[in-house]
Amino acid sequence: MVRAVQIKRIGGVEVLEFVDQSIGELKGEEVLVRHTAIGLNRYDLEHRKGIRKIKSLPSVLGVEAVGVVERLGKKAGDGLQIGDRVGYCTAPPGAYCEKRVIHQKYLIKIPNEISDEIAAAVLFKGMTAHYLVNHSYKIKPGAVVLVHGVNGGLGQILCQWASNKKGVVIGSVSSDDKMQVALQNGCTYALNYNDKNFVSQIMEITQNKGVGAVYDPIGYVTSRLSFESLGRFGIYVSYGQISGSAPVSFSLLSSRSLFATGTSIYHYKRDRFTLVLTAMEIFEMIKKKLLAVRINRKYKFNEIIEAHRDMENRKTSGLNIIKIS
């Protein structure tokens, strides 16, 4: 039996419960992984609240973890061996547990130079940042983009990556005291989206052209500012809905021939070749110090409910993980 955190219904922090569950038998290409660190993501909160759908309940939450291979199914291979350090971030929810049986197609080998904690903090967010700057909107040198929620872990990785691609990054935060975080993570400019002059500042920076893309994990609260900040043919890229859904209409889009897209890592990183190739790129960028991975807080496994409460109350910032002792 192993400890896990599950929900039987969607809702607030109160629906989280610790349970004991059996591991079960390994089938075919399945692998038993003993977790050492679990990534803490907004997806976890959105799954719990029902913003992002879970196939069935009860369900163990968590989309990202790192650990050690303990057992291999009879058909497992792909170069995996017992004792290998592996991580995953595109498997169905189920990472909030001490050990997990998982199909080998989701597993990524972790290089010796990358610690379990760093890998658990950056895999999901690095994969997301990769598709946001390369596919959702391909940033080219000189492209001006607006990134909301820079204080968050993904926002920090996204801004660094956009800066590495020679984009002009305007970082948006909720208060003046967070502006320094934006500037430390590759932003050319830092603005407070609660400032009444926010849009006029954007237009001053862009010489009234507007930005080419807005990356928005917040949703309802920032959506009006986002669309007002876009230039002609600009694109609104949603990768979260922290404050609720953004209202979008065709009349709004047609005002400047705008585009809007919602994104999911499960679409952009659905095949193994893309998954492994992206992981290699992330690890190389960390090794070359092109991506700075700063872990803000390490929660203990028995503090998962506290971690969700902190996310709910927007007390978390940067990259956070759950450590398995």
Side-chain angles (χ1 to χ4, degrees), residues 136-187:
S136 299
Y137 175 77
K138 188 174 179 63
I139 294 181
K140 297 178 181 179
V144 185
V145 298
L146 170 61
V147 181
H148 288 300
V150 178
N151 197 52
L154 176 50
Q156 293 179 19
I157 298 296
L158 174 57
C159 289
Q160 290 181 62
W161 210 312
S163 178
N164 287 330
K165 293 177 74 66
K166 310 301 181 185
V168 178
V169 186
I170 304 172
S172 162
V173 293
S174 60
S175 60
D176 291 351
D177 60 350
K178 295 177 181 178
M179 287 186 180
Q180 191 60 34
V181 174
L183 298 174
Q184 288 174 345
N185 284 278
C187 294

Side-chain angles (χ1 to χ4, degrees), residues 160-233:
Q160 290 181 62
W161 210 312
S163 178
N164 287 330
K165 293 177 74 66
K166 310 301 181 185
V168 178
V169 186
I170 304 172
S172 162
V173 293
S174 60
S175 60
D176 291 351
D177 60 350
K178 295 177 181 178
M179 287 186 180
Q180 191 60 34
V181 174
L183 298 174
Q184 288 174 345
N185 284 278
C187 294
T188 310
Y189 304 94
L191 301 178
N192 181 346
Y193 65 73
N194 287 310
D195 190 322
K196 63 180 181 179
N197 297 317
F198 180 84
V199 176
S200 62
Q201 290 175 313
I202 295 287
M203 292 305 162
E204 182 179 350
I205 291 169
T206 61
Q207 297 180 332
N208 289 319
K209 294 178 181 177
V211 300
V214 176
Y215 295 105
D216 191 356
I218 299 173
Y220 183 81
V221 167
T222 50
S223 59
R224 181 185 62 81
L225 298 172
S226 298
F227 283 105
E228 290 181 2
S229 299
L230 283 169
R232 191 177 296 129
F233 306 119

Side-chain angles (χ1 to χ4, degrees), residues 75-81 84 104-105 107 109 272 276:
K75 294 183 180 180
D78 202 21
L80 288 174
Q81 297 181 355
D84 281 348
Q104 68 180 17
K105 67 182 179 181
L107 299 177
K109 285 191 176 182
R272 178 146 186 81
V276 173

Side-chain angles (χ1 to χ4, degrees), residues 32 34 67-72 80-86:
L32 176 63
R34 173 177 56 80
V68 179
V69 174
E70 283 200 338
R71 292 206 323 255
L72 298 169
L80 288 174
Q81 297 181 355
I82 293 173
D84 281 348
R85 297 168 55 240
V86 294

